[in-house]
């Protein structure tokens, strides 16, 4: 006996996609469809719900192979536009981290630092077709005698460029405030003293993992929108924490699940991979990700019908509690409240600002919807789902 | 009330003259100095909000120009690079005049140059440096 009234398989949905008959809606559109028709009817009507998110995601970067030189080189230290890349791989393979600042950056020596250029900016420049200066030094071996390399490269010159992001798409995140007496500069932005502003960072009802909160469809091998191209979920992300406190609708009220994703950088675009500078904190990278959710049954319809009012997060003090591991919060708020521009903390009205672009998240969900509707993008069955405990 | 924001640049030979105080007495306009860097023997720069009858404001500006002061509307020298901006909204939490604000419910991040006072707080807060405030260095350093 099947426990659901509506039962579809990914193969059936793919057949409908190929036939141009699949009904695809964005996660925002699904909210109204489920509200009006109920989850069961919505599950009959809709085949795929598309999600999206576009915000800074520090744990992102790229494995680049820059091709051999004559004579050959085993690069031991490598810089791209003066941003150090990790070279402890094979001869001309490197990993460039999105959050790596340029080597001559003054950092926080004059506080708060500006952090104008880093690994994320290098990747954005490569995607924009710009030339990037590659420098490498080596100690020289019999098989790799060259000890120095300096040349301008473009993305087209690289034999391989693979985006590898160990942690993207955090399922929920803290709302940050500062209860100290002076302004602080954090990865959650600039926070004024005495709780005068609050910053948050989630696409809310559009966010990929908020629409499959218990990881019933997303897993290793799920095909996704990544940086404007197609990529894959390749593992659960680092710090994946399925055990976080949850509401009855399945959504977590704390940072919870995460995704590790990979994709061919050469398919991506500078519109969806952007270098980011966060005052006083560092350089990082904004990544656009969208995940399609197959509506296999009424449970998935109910999950994807979740609205900003149904998702909550905690308000955390970043002046002391966060940095000292104090597990305390100053209340819980819904994303509907956060998006209204004002929340109440300790009885006071506090102005809120997002760090995650809803406009771009919506655009990603719309692009993914078009890809699927046109028959170009079918769903992949994951080989293993994300751990749910 | 007609209210406009201007950026004034004073020639260095005017740095020791009382100029702004006469706006009230002779031209019947009110003003609010939002920023000023006036140093002896240096070109001075001021961000000034002027309020009053339109014709009085016009006369006041002509008076300022008679000292060789160059005048620009603040809103014409502050811009958002819409290619860079990805409408995250981080600036909206820090903008004191809501010139940068969020349109609801679609959450579009909008910039209204007429509300901007040129404080420059958004410049460093913007993750992609999309805000350009091209006052001179000395004023930028004040912000």
């Amino acid at each position: 006996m099947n426990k659901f009234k509506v039962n579809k398989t990914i193969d059936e949905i793919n057949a409908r996609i190929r036939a141009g008959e699949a009904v695809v809606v964005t996660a925002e559109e699904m909210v109204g469809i489920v509200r009006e028709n109920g989850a069961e009817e919505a599950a009959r009507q809709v085949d795929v719900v598309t999600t999206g998110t576009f915000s800074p995601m520090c744990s992102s970067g790229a494995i680049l192979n820059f091709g051999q030189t004559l004579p050959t080189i085993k690069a031991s230290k490598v810089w791209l536009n003066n941003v150090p890349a990790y070279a402890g791989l094979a001869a001309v393979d490197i990993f460039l981290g999105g959050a790596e600042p340029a080597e001559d950056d003054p950092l926080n020596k004059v506080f708060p630092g500006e952090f104008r250029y880093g690994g994320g900016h290098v990747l954005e420049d490569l995607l924009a077709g710009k030339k990037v200066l590659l420098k490498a030094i080596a100690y020289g071996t019999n098989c790799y005698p060259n000890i120095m390399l300096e040349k301008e490269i473009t993305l087209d010159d690289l034999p391989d460029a693979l985006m590898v992001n160990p942690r993207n798409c955090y399922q929920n995140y803290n709302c940050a405030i500062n209860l100290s007496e002076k302004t602080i500069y954090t990865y959650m932005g600039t926070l004024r003293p005495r709780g005068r502003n609050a910053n948050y960072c989630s696409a809310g009802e559009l966010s990929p993992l908020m629409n499959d909160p218990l990881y019933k469809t997303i897993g290793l091998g799920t095909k996704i929108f990544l940086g404007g191209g197609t990529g894959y979920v390749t593992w659960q992300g680092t710090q994946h924490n399925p055990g976080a406190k949850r509401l009855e609708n399945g959504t977590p009220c704390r940072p919870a699940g995460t995704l590790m994703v990979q994709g061919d950088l050469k398919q991506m675009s500078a519109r969806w991979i952007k270098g980011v500078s966060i005052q006083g904190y560092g350089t990082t990278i904004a990544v656009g990700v969208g995940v399609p959710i197959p509506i296999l049954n009424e449970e998935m319809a109910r999950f994807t019908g979740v609205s900003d009012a149904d998702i909550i997060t905690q308000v955390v003090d970043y002046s002391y509690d966060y940095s000292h591991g104090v597990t305390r919060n100053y209340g819980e708020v819904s994303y509907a409240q956060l998006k209204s521009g004002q929340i109440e903390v300790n009885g006071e009205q506090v102005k809120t600002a997002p760090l995650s672009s809803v406009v771009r998240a919506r655009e990603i969900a719309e692009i993914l919807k078009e890809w699927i509707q046109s028959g170009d993008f079918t769903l992949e069955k994951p080989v293993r789902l994300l751990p749910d405990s | 009330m007609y209210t406009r924001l201007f950026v004034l640049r004073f020639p260095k030979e005017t740095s020791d003259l009382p100029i702004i105080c006469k706006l009230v007495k002779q031209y019947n306009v009110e003003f609010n100095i939002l920023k000023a860097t006036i140093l002896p023997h240096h070109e001075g720069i001021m961000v000034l909000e002027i309020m009053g009858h339109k014709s009085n404001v016009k006369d006041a500006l002509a008076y300022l120009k008679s000292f060789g002061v160059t005048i620009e509307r603040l809103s014409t020298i502050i811009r958002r690079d819409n290619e860079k901006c990805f409408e995250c909204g981080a600036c909206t939490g820090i903008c004191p005049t809501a010139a940068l604000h969020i349109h609801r419910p679609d959450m579009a991040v909008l910039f209204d140059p007429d509300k901007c006072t040129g404080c420059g707080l958004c410049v460093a807060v913007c993750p992609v440096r999309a805000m350009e405030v091209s006052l001179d260095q000395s004023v930028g350093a004040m912000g």
Side-chain angles (χ1 to χ4, degrees), chain B residues 1 3 5 33 38-39 46 51 53 64 66 70 73 76 81 83-84 92 101 106 114-115 121 127 129:
Chain B
M1 181 96 80
T3 301
L5 283 159
I33 300 172
I38 311 286
L39 296 167
M46 182 179 285
M51 296 153 276
H53 192 279
L64 291 169
S66 72
T70 60
R73 282 281 299 281
T76 63
D81 184 334
E83 284 294 303
K84 286 185 185 168
T92 62
H101 61 280
D106 64 6
D114 288 330
K115 282 190 185 165
L121 285 174
R129 301 288 187 263

Side-chain angles (χ1 to χ4, degrees), chain A residues 200-221:
Chain A
Y200 64 98
C201 190
S202 170
E205 66 191 23
L206 273 163
S207 178
L209 287 173
M210 286 300 191
N211 285 280
D212 184 5
L214 301 175
Y215 329 119
K216 302 273 188 187
T217 70
I218 301 174
L220 282 57

Side-chain angles (χ1 to χ4, degrees), chain A residues 206-361:
Chain A
L206 273 163
S207 178
L209 287 173
M210 286 300 191
N211 285 280
D212 184 5
L214 301 175
Y215 329 119
K216 302 273 188 187
T217 70
I218 301 174
L220 282 57
T222 297
K223 191 164 70 170
I224 61 172
F225 172 108
L226 178 61
T230 56
Y232 292 86
V233 174
T234 56
W235 206 256
Q236 65 268 28
T238 53
Q239 297 181 20
H240 178 75
N241 176 25
K245 179 187 165 190
R246 287 171 194 268
L247 299 180
E248 237 172 66
N249 64 23
T251 61
C253 329
R254 306 282 180 268
T258 66
L259 299 179
M260 177 168 181
V261 301
Q262 285 173 234
D264 181 4
L265 194 69
K266 294 191 180 202
Q267 286 182 25
M268 299 182 192
S269 98
R271 182 168 175 78
W272 300 111
I273 299 291
K274 271 186 180 285
V276 163
S277 306
I278 299 185
Q279 191 181 20
Y281 165 71
T283 52
T284 183
I285 182 170
V287 181
V289 184
V291 179
I293 315 277
I295 305 306
L296 302 174
N297 48 50
E298 58 269 33
E299 182 183 48
M300 290 314 300
R302 183 169 61 80
F303 285 146
T304 50
V306 75
S307 80
D308 286 327
D310 309 320
I311 311 173
I312 66 169
T313 189
Q314 59 178 348
V315 179
V316 173
D317 167 50
Y318 271 64
S319 68
Y320 184 86
D321 289 358
Y322 178 82
S323 49
H324 291 76
V326 179
T327 50
R328 165 169 57 181
N329 69 56
Y330 290 86
E332 292 183 327
V333 287
S334 75
Y335 279 93
Q337 289 168 317
L338 287 164
K339 285 184 179 174
S340 78
Q342 223 170 35
I343 56 168
E344 194 178 300
V345 182
N346 287 342
E348 303 266 338
Q349 291 299 312
V350 179
K351 196 176 165 184
T352 60
L355 303 174
S356 181
S357 173
V358 175
V359 173
R360 290 292 190 95

